[in-house]
Amino acid sequence: MLSTVTGVRPEATTREERIRQRSAERRSVQRAERRRSILDAAATLFLEHGYERFSLRQVAEEIGYSPTTIYLYFSDKDDLLFHVAMDGFGRFGEELQEACDGASEPLEKLAAIGEAYVEFGLTNPVHYRLMFMQRGEFLEREPPEGYESVIDSFGILTRTVEECLEAGVIEDGDTLAYAAMIWAAVHGVVALAIATPYLEYERALAVHRLTARSLIHGIRS
């Protein structure tokens, strides 16, 4: 039976709507995949060339698109690398939170967070460089749209330190001072491993664990 208003069968309209919806979903998936390929290529090329020699043209050539396509997603190379860093912050925070949640005692949580920090830095040197070594000012920028929910990684550390203080398992002291000291210790190991050829993965982990044991022994109450 035809629609009395349009003369179009209702089932035909529904079918056309489904086709349009599937087409829109397919375009959305393709756009997300293209954006992901740009971010992945940027991370690889940044590691290879460094900031000064990195360019959007290199990214375009790497993934087989024109430079114009890159500009549909990112305004310039700084914007692209900022998004690469934001991807890193998201995964970094998730891994720290997962490590923290997997421990039960406050000091165990502190140790787990330190281990997760070093593991992330050693296995994600591109993101770590952008986050904490070469573009530290990214920390001060407003997150781009879609990254508002990035977990506060420093907040995870400070809350864990506060938990240790409240439980009386470390000496009384300033929460932020404790957190900064721990951050400096783990960052030092990761930065040294990334910047020099002398600390390969296993040795860097061993150095971190030795440092962590000494640090925790020094602050226990």
Side-chain angles (χ1 to χ4, degrees), residues 162-176:
E162 189 64 37
E163 187 177 345
C164 289
L165 287 167
E166 291 174 356
V169 294
I170 62 176
E171 295 181 358
D172 287 339
D174 180 72
T175 299
L176 292 180

Side-chain angles (χ1 to χ4, degrees), residues 117-118 128 132-133 181-193:
Y117 185 111
V118 174
Y128 195 87
F132 296 120
M133 296 175 70
M181 176 187 66
I182 294 166
W183 186 7
V186 291
H187 171 73
V189 173
V190 175
L192 188 61

Side-chain angles (χ1 to χ4, degrees), residues 27-148:
R27 288 195 300 273
S28 179
V29 170
Q30 290 171 343
R31 180 177 174 82
E33 290 176 346
R34 190 176 299 120
R35 184 179 183 279
R36 181 75 264 160
S37 69
I38 293 171
L39 288 169
D40 290 344
T44 299
L45 291 166
F46 176 79
L47 179 63
E48 181 179 348
H49 297 289
Y51 181 80
E52 295 300 328
R53 295 173 56 223
F54 171 87
S55 71
L56 295 187
R57 183 172 297 279
Q58 293 168 346
V59 176
E61 292 175 355
E62 180 73 15
I63 61 176
Y65 290 107
S66 70
T68 304
T69 301
I70 311 297
Y71 284 108
L72 294 176
Y73 296 84
F74 306 100
S75 59
D76 52 31
K77 80 170 186 178
D78 193 66
D79 183 43
L80 172 52
L81 291 175
F82 180 45
H83 281 76
V84 172
M86 287 299 102
D87 266 6
F89 277 117
R91 289 190 287 112
F92 179 59
E94 290 171 0
E95 291 181 18
L96 293 194
Q97 188 66 63
E98 183 179 347
C100 182
D101 293 342
S104 55
E105 300 299 325
L107 277 178
E108 290 177 0
K109 291 182 180 181
L110 207 58
I113 289 172
E115 185 89 359
Y117 185 111
V118 174
E119 286 268 9
F120 176 88
L122 295 178
T123 55
N124 298 276
V126 173
H127 295 87
Y128 195 87
R129 281 181 184 272
L130 286 170
M131 291 159 59
F132 296 120
M133 296 175 70
Q134 291 182 285
R135 300 304 304 272
E137 74 274 15
F138 283 165
L139 286 167
E140 301 175 359
R141 293 190 188 181
E142 285 294 318
E145 184 178 354
Y147 288 87
E148 293 85 354

